[in-house]
Amino acid sequence: KMYLCGLDIKGAFLHASLPQTIYLKAPRGFYAPNQYLKLNKSLYGLRQAPRLFQEELARFMLRIGFEVTGDGVTWARTRLTATGVEERL
C-alpha cells in the first residue's frame, strides 16, 4: 500500500533563511524613504527565493526520514515491516 499526498504551502518563499546579508532600499511612501532595510527572510521578488526554499525543505525532509527519489522532486519514506520487508510509506 502506498499513500500519496500533495502539499501547497502559502507563503513558502517567505520562510527561507538567507545565506548572505541583503539590504534593499525602502519603498516610496515608507516612513524612512532614504534608508535601506535588512532582509531577515527571503521574499518572492528575490531571484534566489525558490532555490533557498527548496534547500530548506530538503534539509527538513531528510531530517524527518524522507529520501528524494530518482526524479529529484518526489520524496518517499520506507520502513521495515515485522517480516523484514521494506515498505514504502
Side-chain angles (χ1 to χ4, degrees):
K1 227 180 207 189
M2 185 181 288
Y3 298 98
L4 297 174
C5 67
L7 182 63
D8 183 22
I9 303 171
K10 291 184 180 186
F13 292 165
L14 301 176
H15 298 289
S17 299
L18 295 170
Q20 70 275 2
T21 304
I22 297 179
Y23 291 92
L24 65 112
K25 192 171 182 177
R28 216 174 315 165
F30 198 68
Y31 71 92
N34 294 325
Q35 290 188 348
Y36 287 83
L37 307 172
K38 180 182 175 187
L39 291 180
N40 292 323
K41 296 283 185 173
S42 182
L43 291 175
Y44 281 106
L46 293 177
R47 282 189 233 155
Q48 63 266 43
R51 180 182 49 81
L52 292 171
F53 175 73
Q54 181 63 30
E55 289 171 359
E56 194 144 321
L57 176 65
R59 282 191 300 274
F60 172 75
M61 296 295 277
L62 291 170
R63 192 174 70 236
I64 63 171
F66 281 82
E67 56 191 36
V68 70
T69 61
D71 64 3
V73 177
T74 309
W75 293 84
R77 187 167 63 175
T78 57
R79 71 172 178 190
L80 290 177
T81 63
T83 59
V85 177
E86 271 195 1
E87 175 183 57
R88 207 166 264 260
L89 301 175

